[in-house]
Amino acid sequence: MFSRGILRPVKVFTTHYEGVSLAGFIAALVSTGIRTVADVREAPISRKPGFSKLALAQALNEAGIDYRHFRELGCPKAIRDQYREDEDWERYTRSYFGHLRKQAEAIDSLISLSRTIQTALLCYEADFNRCHRTYVARAVADRAGALVCHITTGGLITEVAGSARAAGRSGSRSAIGRESDEWCPSGT
């Protein structure tokens, strides 16, 4: 027998740990229904206690959340170093897109994961408009018809389809909608 429910699009979430405690970070994931964290940092180390790969994986596991590291989707050191030197966001974005275009297999893995379990892409930066995790999420969205939802300290933010991806390519801010979007409520 088939269920007569509304089919909801695949959702890919992004999250950060800048300015939040480990307990607060995990609480936000749990309240949003995240079951897997996909760490998209190239080097999953942190000076912030609890956010390096092994410690984070253990803390998440204790909360019933799986941890997966997608090193290949991290921003390469050469690109990060160039950005630290010149602070040219447009160059950073172009360089990272060049890297991301070569990561189809990793993007496909994220699509498969996001279709089966509620997943959040993790990096440090609080401002998702200034973090490569948003470009990864949009690559998943473009290939899978997914919806991008950002878990922020101010609540859940859903990108408006089309306009956010176009804005991201130009390096400007995304067009976004607050949690009023019914496709991205907490816990679904």
Side-chain angles (χ1 to χ4, degrees):
M1 182 182 287
F2 294 98
S3 154
R4 292 185 180 233
I6 296 173
L7 292 177
R8 296 190 184 267
V10 173
K11 291 176 272 191
V12 61
F13 292 80
T14 76
T15 192
H16 70 94
Y17 63 94
E18 181 180 14
V20 297
S21 67
L22 182 60
F25 170 76
I26 291 173
L29 296 175
V30 169
S31 72
T32 309
I34 299 301
R35 304 293 302 159
T36 299
V37 167
D39 191 339
V40 295
R41 297 175 292 172
E42 182 183 49
I45 55 175
S46 178
R47 287 176 262 167
K48 189 168 186 160
F51 287 96
S52 290
K53 183 178 182 172
L54 296 178
L56 180 59
Q58 181 178 346
L60 290 170
N61 188 10
E62 290 170 5
I65 300 170
D66 292 327
Y67 172 90
R68 297 226 3 229
H69 181 218
F70 286 82
R71 182 181 197 278
E72 59 276 18
L73 295 174
C75 186
K77 185 177 184 326
I79 296 172
R80 294 190 319 265
D81 288 348
Q82 181 66 46
Y83 180 68
R84 280 187 198 104
E85 184 179 312
D86 65 15
E87 297 183 3
D88 184 337
W89 184 253
E90 288 186 30
R91 178 187 300 194
Y92 172 93
T93 299
R94 282 191 311 274
S95 297
Y96 184 72
F97 280 152
H99 169 75
L100 191 57
R101 278 192 285 280
K102 301 172 193 165
Q103 308 307 319
E105 189 174 321
I107 294 297
D108 287 342
S109 292
L110 271 178
I111 290 169
S112 294
L113 188 61
S114 296
R115 283 187 172 142
T116 59
I117 194 161
Q118 195 136 298
T119 302
L121 309 183
L122 168 70
C123 197
Y124 172 75
E125 177 64 44
D127 183 354
F128 61 85
N129 287 296
R130 296 296 249 179
C131 184
H132 78 285
R133 74 177 182 272
T134 297
Y135 301 140
V136 174
R138 290 174 185 162
V140 169
D142 287 345
R143 288 181 67 156
L147 186 64
V148 177
C149 304
H150 303 283
I151 302 168
T152 72
T153 52
L156 203 58
I157 298 175
T158 305
E159 290 194 355
V160 175
S163 60
R165 281 181 254 318
R169 281 198 227 21
S170 70
S172 19
R173 288 202 165 285
S174 302
I176 53 176
R178 289 270 168 199
E179 191 176 359
S180 60
D181 185 324
E182 67 180 85
W183 291 113
C184 226
S186 295
T188 61

